[in-house]
Amino acid sequence: MRASDLEQDFDRVLFTQEQVEARVAEVAAQIDADYEGRDILMVGVLNGAVMTLADLCRSMRSHMTMDWMAVSSYGAGTKSSGVVRILKDLSGDIEGKDVLIVEDIIDTGLTLSYLVQNLRSRGPKSLEIMAMFRKPEALTSPVDVRYVGFDIPNEFVVGYGLDYAGRYRNLTDVATLAPHVYA
Ligand code: IMP
């Protein structure tokens, strides 16, 4: 779905599908260069990182494997609950592996701080983070992010995997919602 398919639901398009694709290719090239000759275990955070991980790994030339985790975050609203819970753990072991966490967006940083702490305790060889979007103003739990797609203003956005009440993940552009959607 493009923003133009459902124009009345969106206030402003922040990034078009083409801009997102171009940026993903740039980050993929950066990852390839940094991990040259190494196998990367990419850990996607469900559900939001599905699009980012799928596109990122297909743009990469490095060998990679993937695994997924699901953690609780916002429920159906737009505010962080402040509580992080593992809903689905990794299927495999990460000990001694080069792990790259792939996250959709960093808002407060709470989810990633928790994930990093949790995964680090499992003894990976290295642990880095790629986040497609980051809201610098909202970052209350600082995390060391190696790769960022875009820094964005402190607004609630949807598209490219990001949802509001489960919807809009299939929007290929990234946009803010029109006020009537929240009403
Ligand atoms: P944090 O723990 O506050 O950094 O929140 C991270 C999670 O909140 C993300 O993985 C998203 O699921 C969700 N989230 C934060 N901001 C947005 C947004 O603007 N749109 C959609 N989901 C968001």
Side-chain angles (χ1 to χ4, degrees), residues 73-74 80 103-112 135 155-158 162-163:
S73 57
Y74 284 16
S80 177
E103 174 67 302
D104 52 0
I105 189 165
I106 309 180
D107 185 353
T108 61
L110 207 88
T111 308
L112 268 178
K135 297 181 189 175
E155 291 179 77
F156 196 81
V157 296
V158 294
L162 293 167
D163 74 305

Side-chain angles (χ1 to χ4, degrees), residues 44-73:
V45 185
L46 293 169
N47 295 321
V50 167
M51 313 300 174
T52 302
L53 179 42
D55 288 343
L56 192 63
C57 71
R58 284 179 296 176
S59 277
M60 286 163 43
R61 285 179 287 109
S62 313
H63 276 300
M64 58 80 63
T65 53
M66 64 172 84
D67 204 344
W68 299 90
M69 266 182 109
V71 292
S72 66
S73 57

Side-chain angles (χ1 to χ4, degrees), residues 87-113:
L87 305 176
K88 182 222 168 289
D89 207 341
L90 296 174
S91 311
D93 206 353
I94 64 167
E95 197 178 340
K97 297 187 177 160
D98 287 311
V99 176
L100 178 61
I101 301 173
V102 179
E103 174 67 302
D104 52 0
I105 189 165
I106 309 180
D107 185 353
T108 61
L110 207 88
T111 308
L112 268 178
S113 300

